[in-house]
């Protein structure tokens, strides 16, 4: 194990006697080297700065010198205390020569000379000075008043001796000197720890892929990592002073003066462009510098491509565009035109359409046509997640927010979609609590993770979709009106397949190509049958029937019998509905019972009757659900399930 390097200390004093006293006291200390400096009065600050720049780790100082250095430097000082007891001892020693004594101290040193006069039964003249001239004049005036003995530092004593008097030097006690030594060691240890950390930091900066330049308090370059040499096209090993000409575009001088960071600025240096941040940085005790960190634009573009690739692999990218929305009918052309117009804004868009009409394709197209196309596209099917999970998936959570929460927490889909698009499919299925939280996030453009206390700003364009008319859900009390108006700023309605049967051949072309089938695979009779069918499952149902046909066709060119069998199995007409019972109330005009579906069975009609009764009771109680539940003799949860359309298991 190597021997630790000895500490480097220095003593600054105007008195040879003080130097000798401290030297004798520290003679046995072998872990330090002390430089004893005699300095003229007024020169102590300049000498102290020079010593610290030269690597001295701590400065011993005493009396008036300590006061000067505290005011001008304020750090790296090990002050040797001068106590009242030391002053009293010096006065007692001077009393042996005279009962009238001058006490000479720095002007900032406060002593209760009146109390000392009473205790020692002597007359004390306190001469305080701030500079050499004041010391000379003070001693001269005291001599004119008949004082011939002085207690103070070496300069005061020598001046009194020139006037024919006598001086008693105030020397520190051994205890005070050793206490100052402990201070000096602590200062040195802290500096060495800081220097090690500083060296570790520079080692890390040297290995970064970013260019790094460190400047000192004067704006001079003190560190340049290999990447910075390469990006600035400067030969490695070039003297730091020669790098000054490359600094100006990064504006370290402004950061040093203001103390405020300059983050992610586009900087032109020579013929190159960089994305740069300039930050204030403490370099060492008492010194403030700055660090410049920068990357060239090409590297950032490569990083962006990697990020896009990662997002793609995680599914956070829109894979479809307008070309995937097949159709030549007027309705589809109008839809494509609207998508282009709506994509040019950041307004929320709601997609309404039956199941299988291509709402997700439209959402992908909106994103890819927008200015956010290079940012994440995050899609979530709100009906596919349990209510207990949906909120944490959307907004994220902090560690320990609930049992089973992932260590370190988890970012929600809102955060993952920041700067991009969040597609909320089947938005009508979310509960009221999540609706309220979603509304607040959309209005404030910020969110708070579950279990968190930190607000996270988000910039997300919302696209929502539903196969149910949202306004009907608002009327039924299942969807908040204020959230509806926030989501449905713009609306796109996707036409069902039965309204555009002319597009069926175009839709099938790509599917047949995928299975290596030609257009003759579908005969005119099959095509006519498809055109005359209502397609309740829309394009998804169409593809399901035709895919089954292509798979089972074997090597035949066409097989109308096979197609008829598949069509009969997969697209069989529904049984006729039973006659509907009379409407419960004449006021029920929303289709619960007054206009029953033709294919509704008895169980469904009974469920609708229950919903109609509950809604009528709600209206009678001004939408007070607690009061309505009490009036109907059911629990609040049962009332909620009925309104949600969930089968009730009974009370």
């Amino acid at each position: 194990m190597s021997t630790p390097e000895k500490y480097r200390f220095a003593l600054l004093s105007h008195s040879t006697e003080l130097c000798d006293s401290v030297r004798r006291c520290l003679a046995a200390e072998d872990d330090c080297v002390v430089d004893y400096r005699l300095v003229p009065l007024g020169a102590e600050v300049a000498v102290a700065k020079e010593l610290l720049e030269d690597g001295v780790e701590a400065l011993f100082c005493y009396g008036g010198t300590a006061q000067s250095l505290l005011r001008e430097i304020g750090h790296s000082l090990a002050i040797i205390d001068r106590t009242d007891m030391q002053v009293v001892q010096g006065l007692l020693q001077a009393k042996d020569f005279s009962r009238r004594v001058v006490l000479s101290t720095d002007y900032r040193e406060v002593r209760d000379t009146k109390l000392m006069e009473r205790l020692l039964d002597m007359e004390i003249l306190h001469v305080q000075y701030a500079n050499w001239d004041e010391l000379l004049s003070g001693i001269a005036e005291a001599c004119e008043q008949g004082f011939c003995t002085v207690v103070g530092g070496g300069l005061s004593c020598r001046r009194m001796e020139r006037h024919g008097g006598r001086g008693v030097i105030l020397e520190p006690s051994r205890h005070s000197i050793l206490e100052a030594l402990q201070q000096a060691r602590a200062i040195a240890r802290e500096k060495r720890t800081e220097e090690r950390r500083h060296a570790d930091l520079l080692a890390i900066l040297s290995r970064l892929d970013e260019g790094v330049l460190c400047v000192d308090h004067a704006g001079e370059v003190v560190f340049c990592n290999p990447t910075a040499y390469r990006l600035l096209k400067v030969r490695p090993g070039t003297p730091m002073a020669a790098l000054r000409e490359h600094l100006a575009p990064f504006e370290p001088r402004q950061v040093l003066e203001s103390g405020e960071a300059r983050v992610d600025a586009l900087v032109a240096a020579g013929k190159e462009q960089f994305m740069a941040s300039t930050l204030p940085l403490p370099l060492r005790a008492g010194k403030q510098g700055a660090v410049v960190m920068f990357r060239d634009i090409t590297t950032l573009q490569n990083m962006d491509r990697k990020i896009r690739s990662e997002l793609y692999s995680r599914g956070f990218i829109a894979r479809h565009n307008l070309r995937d929305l097949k159709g030549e009918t007027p309705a589809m052309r109008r839809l494509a035109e609207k998508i282009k117009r709506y994509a040019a804004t950041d307004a929320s868009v709601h997609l309404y359409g039956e199941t299988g009409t291509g709402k997700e394709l439209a959402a992908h197209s909106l994103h890819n046509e927008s200015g956010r196309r290079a940012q994440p596209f995050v899609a979530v099917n709100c009906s596919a997640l349990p209510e207990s999970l949906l909120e944490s998936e959307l907004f994220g959570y902090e560690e320990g927010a609930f049992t089973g929460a992932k260590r370190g927490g988890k970012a929600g889909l809102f955060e993952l979609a920041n700067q991009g698009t969040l597609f909320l499919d089947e938005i009508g299925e979310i509960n009221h609590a999540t609706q309220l939280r979603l509304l607040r996030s959309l209005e404030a453009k910020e969110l708070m993770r579950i279990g968190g206390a930190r607000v996270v700003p988000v910039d997300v364009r919302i696209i929502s979709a539903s196969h149910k008319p949202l306004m009907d859900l608002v009327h039924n009390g299942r969807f908040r009106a204020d959230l509806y108006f926030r989501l449905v700023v713009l609306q796109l309605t996707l036409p069902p397949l039965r309204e555009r049967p002319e597009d069926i051949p175009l839709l099938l072309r790509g599917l047949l190509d995928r299975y290596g089938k030609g257009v003759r695979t579908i005969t005119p009779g099959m095509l006519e049958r498809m055109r005359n069918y209502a397609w309740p499952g829309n394009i998804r149902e169409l593809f399901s029937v035709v895919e089954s046909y292509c798979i089972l066709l074997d090597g035949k060119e066409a097989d109308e019998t096979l197609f008829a069998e598949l069509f009969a199995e997969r697209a069989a007409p529904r049984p006729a509905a039973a006659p509907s019972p009379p409407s419960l109330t004449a006021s029920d005009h929303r289709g619960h019972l007054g206009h029953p579906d033709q294919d509704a069975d008895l169980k469904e009609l009974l469920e609708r009757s229950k919903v109609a009764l509950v809604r009528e009771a709600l209206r009678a109680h001004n939408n007070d659900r607690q009061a309505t539940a009490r009036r109907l003799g059911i629990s609040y949860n049962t009332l909620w399930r009925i309104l949600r359309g969930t089968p009730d298991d009974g009370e």
Side-chain angles (χ1 to χ4, degrees):
M1 186 174 178
S2 60
T3 304
E5 184 181 353
K6 290 188 176 183
Y7 298 122
R8 288 188 60 191
F9 302 142
L11 169 67
L12 296 184
S13 177
H14 313 308
S15 166
T16 55
E17 292 82 0
L18 176 65
C19 291
D20 292 341
S21 179
V22 174
R23 186 182 286 110
R24 287 193 300 271
C25 187
L26 301 183
E29 305 296 333
D30 60 359
D31 65 342
C32 59
V33 175
V34 182
D35 184 358
Y36 296 91
R37 291 289 184 97
L38 272 173
V39 294
L41 187 63
E44 57 272 5
V45 173
V47 175
K49 290 180 178 179
E50 178 185 327
L51 289 168
L52 291 174
E53 287 287 345
D54 192 42
V56 168
E57 295 169 293
L59 299 171
F60 292 110
C61 47
Y62 179 67
T65 304
Q67 298 299 325
S68 297
L69 297 181
L70 270 175
R71 182 179 70 249
E72 298 296 333
I73 295 178
H75 64 88
S76 305
L77 303 178
I79 298 174
I80 302 172
D81 282 338
R82 177 186 285 174
T83 64
D84 282 338
M85 183 57 67
Q86 292 168 8
V87 174
V88 168
Q89 289 173 344
L91 291 171
L92 279 174
Q93 186 178 348
K95 188 178 178 182
D96 292 341
F97 307 108
S98 173
R99 300 181 69 85
R100 301 179 74 228
V101 176
V102 176
L103 176 62
S104 174
T105 68
D106 182 86
Y107 75 98
R108 286 160 297 226
E109 194 169 332
V110 179
R111 301 294 173 187
D112 190 349
T113 54
K114 295 300 181 184
L115 177 60
M116 292 178 180
E117 283 182 330
R118 291 197 300 272
L119 290 174
L120 301 177
D121 188 25
M122 60 190 301
E123 182 182 353
I124 301 172
L125 175 64
H126 193 186
V127 172
Q128 294 176 290
Y129 58 89
N131 52 53
W132 176 246
D133 292 335
E134 289 183 5
L135 173 62
L136 295 181
S137 61
I139 297 296
E141 290 175 7
C143 291
E144 291 176 0
Q145 297 176 37
F147 288 87
C148 59
T149 304
V150 65
V151 174
L155 292 176
S156 301
C157 293
R158 284 192 288 276
R159 197 64 191 171
M160 178 61 77
E161 288 169 356
R162 288 192 180 184
H163 286 277
R166 186 184 295 270
V168 175
I169 293 178
L170 281 173
E171 293 189 4
S173 66
R174 177 180 175 81
H175 175 74
S176 296
I177 295 171
L178 293 178
E179 275 198 340
L181 177 62
Q182 293 304 320
Q183 291 178 38
R185 285 171 173 155
I187 291 169
R189 283 194 296 269
E190 184 177 350
K191 279 191 174 183
R192 292 186 179 189
T193 299
E194 184 180 340
E195 290 291 342
R196 283 194 297 272
R197 289 174 180 166
H198 182 65
D200 291 343
L201 174 61
L202 293 183
I204 293 170
L205 295 179
S206 295
R207 300 179 64 87
L208 290 180
D209 292 332
E210 289 180 286
V212 179
L213 293 169
C214 294
V215 299
D216 63 13
H217 63 287
E220 298 294 332
V221 180
V222 295
F223 173 79
C224 177
N225 75 343
T227 307
Y229 279 118
R230 176 176 57 80
L231 293 177
L232 295 175
K233 294 181 171 51
V234 176
R235 182 174 54 82
T238 298
M240 296 296 168
L243 296 172
R244 187 186 310 162
E245 62 183 275
H246 299 279
L247 277 178
F250 301 107
E251 299 185 2
R253 179 70 64 183
Q254 290 86 330
V255 171
L256 287 172
E257 292 173 356
S258 66
E260 297 180 359
R262 181 174 180 254
V263 180
D264 291 339
L266 188 61
V267 173
K271 296 181 180 180
E272 302 294 330
Q273 284 194 318
F274 305 103
M275 188 64 71
S277 294
T278 306
L279 313 170
L281 179 71
L283 292 178
R284 59 179 66 185
K287 295 293 178 66
Q288 183 75 16
V291 59
V292 178
M293 307 181 74
F294 57 100
R295 287 183 183 271
D296 62 299
I297 298 300
T298 302
T299 300
L300 289 173
Q301 290 170 339
N302 291 337
M303 289 176 61
D304 184 69
R305 281 193 288 270
K306 289 180 181 178
I307 292 170
R308 294 297 118 207
S309 175
E310 174 67 17
L311 288 173
Y312 188 89
S313 68
R314 295 172 65 183
F316 295 153
I317 194 164
R319 296 181 175 86
H320 304 287
N321 51 47
L322 281 175
R323 291 191 299 273
D324 298 315
L325 281 170
K326 307 293 185 183
E328 295 294 338
T329 57
M332 291 304 292
R333 289 177 180 173
R334 286 194 299 271
L335 178 65
E337 290 172 2
K338 284 186 176 181
I339 287 176
K340 290 179 182 178
R341 282 165 45 205
Y342 293 177
T345 77
D346 273 341
S348 298
V349 179
H350 179 67
L351 306 174
Y352 168 68
E354 297 176 8
T355 299
T357 52
K359 295 187 291 296
E360 186 163 350
L361 288 180
H364 283 240
S365 300
L366 275 166
H367 177 78
N368 276 331
E369 290 290 322
S370 75
R372 297 173 181 257
R373 67 181 67 86
Q375 303 302 326
F377 175 84
V378 180
V380 58
N381 189 318
C382 299
S383 65
L385 291 172
E387 291 180 358
S388 58
L389 290 179
L390 180 59
E391 192 170 1
S392 64
E393 285 296 311
L394 284 176
F395 304 102
Y397 56 81
E398 297 292 351
E399 181 176 341
F402 49 82
T403 303
K406 186 178 179 181
R407 176 174 292 184
K410 179 183 177 182
L413 297 178
F414 259 96
E415 289 180 68
L416 294 175
N418 192 35
Q419 303 294 319
T421 302
L422 179 61
F423 174 44
L424 301 173
D425 199 5
E426 299 301 346
I427 187 69
E429 302 302 317
I430 63 176
N431 62 32
H432 275 250
T434 306
Q435 288 178 32
L436 183 60
R437 188 159 190 164
L438 177 59
L439 174 65
R440 189 197 176 282
S441 296
L442 295 180
E443 290 183 337
K445 294 187 177 180
E446 61 186 25
L447 59 86
M448 188 179 292
R449 291 184 182 181
I450 295 174
R454 179 175 60 91
V455 171
V456 180
V458 287
D459 173 19
V460 175
R461 200 258 182 98
I462 298 293
I463 300 175
S464 60
S466 175
H467 72 281
K468 301 175 182 177
L470 276 190
M471 184 52 75
D472 287 358
L473 298 180
V474 172
H475 288 321
N476 295 337
R478 293 175 58 183
F479 202 84
R480 296 180 63 96
D482 44 9
L483 178 58
Y484 170 86
F485 293 119
R486 178 62 66 177
L487 291 173
V488 191
V489 178
L490 299 172
Q491 179 163 299
L492 287 172
T493 300
L494 278 78
L497 185 57
R498 62 181 172 273
E499 294 181 5
R500 56 184 188 108
E502 300 87 351
D503 286 332
I504 290 177
L506 184 61
L507 291 168
L508 293 180
R509 190 176 300 160
L511 183 62
L512 294 174
D513 289 344
R514 196 187 315 158
Y515 284 93
K517 305 296 182 182
V519 292
R520 293 184 179 180
T521 302
I522 304 295
T523 66
M526 296 179 198
L527 194 58
E528 186 63 23
R529 187 164 190 172
M530 285 188 278
R531 283 174 173 160
N532 292 330
Y533 179 61
W535 296 110
N538 291 291
I539 301 169
R540 189 176 291 121
E541 184 181 3
L542 170 69
F543 282 7
S544 177
V545 172
V546 177
E547 277 190 274
S548 299
Y549 171 69
C550 291
I551 291 170
L552 298 174
L553 192 57
D554 293 330
K556 299 178 183 178
E557 186 176 84
D559 189 336
E560 290 196 358
T561 303
L562 173 63
F563 183 81
E565 291 176 357
L566 291 172
F567 203 89
E569 293 173 0
R570 303 292 296 273
R574 299 181 184 179
S580 60
S583 174
L584 289 183
T585 64
S587 63
D588 188 358
H589 58 278
R590 292 187 176 88
H592 295 293
L593 287 174
H595 304 284
D597 292 342
Q598 294 301 312
D599 57 351
D601 57 17
L602 178 60
K603 182 178 180 181
E604 185 175 354
L605 291 171
L606 289 173
E607 287 295 324
R608 292 184 180 183
S609 301
K610 188 188 300 183
V611 172
L613 287 170
V614 168
R615 298 203 186 289
E616 192 66 23
L618 266 175
R619 285 193 288 272
H621 289 82
N622 296 319
N623 285 324
D624 185 335
R625 297 191 179 193
Q626 295 284 3
T628 301
R630 288 194 298 269
R631 174 66 183 84
L632 295 175
I634 59 178
S635 70
Y636 182 89
N637 288 339
T638 298
L639 179 74
W640 173 256
R641 284 196 296 271
I642 292 172
L643 294 173
R644 290 274 298 177
T646 306
D648 182 24
D649 297 329
E651 287 290 8

